[in-house]
Amino acid sequence: MDQTNREIVAILLRDGRASYAEIGDAVGLSATAVKRRVDRMQARGEIAGFTVRVAPEELGWRIEAYVEIFCRGNISPAALERDFGPIPEVVRVDTVTGEADALVQIMAGSMSDVERIVESFRVNARVDKTRTAIVMSRVIDRPARLD
């Protein structure tokens, strides 16, 4: 990724709704040239997509938790996706280093929802144990930066 593309991505990370003309003004290109660059970055997978950030509490998500998953034997990322993907409160699953095999982020409406979700993890034949951390407050929440 050249420096101009990095600058374009940095602008999009700050404001995903920035127009091609606004981005072009900032990086010294025409709107058409910016669009071509963004399209090529998308085609190469450098830009995976565009999204909106919402206030979780506005969607009824009052509790955020991270659940460490400890599995019996090895578990593949495909198996994790198959097991946890259908659960709507699961917003992210990562394989991790260390003792745990995976880290699952959940957003729930209540503590009873958290309990129900974690219990559903524990009945999975592959899961040996879980360890849950409830988020008390979000201190920093920002997109990745390129600069």
Side-chain angles (χ1 to χ4, degrees), residues 8-137:
I8 291 169
V9 170
I11 292 166
L12 289 170
L13 283 170
R14 284 191 303 275
D15 179 7
R17 293 185 65 188
S19 71
Y20 294 131
E22 292 168 331
I23 297 169
D25 288 345
V27 300
L29 294 173
S30 69
T32 304
V34 170
K35 181 184 182 325
R36 275 195 307 268
R37 282 176 172 261
V38 169
D39 288 346
R40 283 195 302 260
M41 285 188 282
Q42 283 183 282
R44 290 190 301 260
E46 296 166 351
I47 295 176
F50 297 87
T51 188
V52 63
R53 292 176 56 204
V54 298
E57 60 277 359
E58 295 301 320
L59 297 176
W61 297 338
R62 308 263 181 262
I63 300 175
E64 180 177 9
Y66 291 88
V67 183
E68 289 180 290
I69 305 294
F70 299 83
C71 297
R72 293 181 187 89
N74 293 329
I75 189 163
S76 70
L80 290 167
E81 184 175 4
R82 187 174 50 254
D83 292 347
F84 299 117
I87 303 168
E89 294 89 352
V90 170
V91 297
R92 185 175 178 131
V93 178
D94 296 300
T95 57
V96 295
T97 62
E99 292 180 36
D101 295 290
L103 185 64
V104 178
Q105 180 186 11
I106 60 175
M107 301 292 285
S110 67
M111 281 303 294
S112 62
D113 289 338
V114 171
E115 184 175 22
R116 174 184 50 78
I117 296 160
V118 172
E119 286 302 318
S120 76
F121 295 170
R122 290 182 182 154
V123 299
N124 183 315
R126 292 189 261 279
V127 174
D128 187 40
K129 70 176 184 173
T130 62
R131 182 169 40 219
T132 303
I134 304 294
V135 174
M136 293 173 40
S137 64

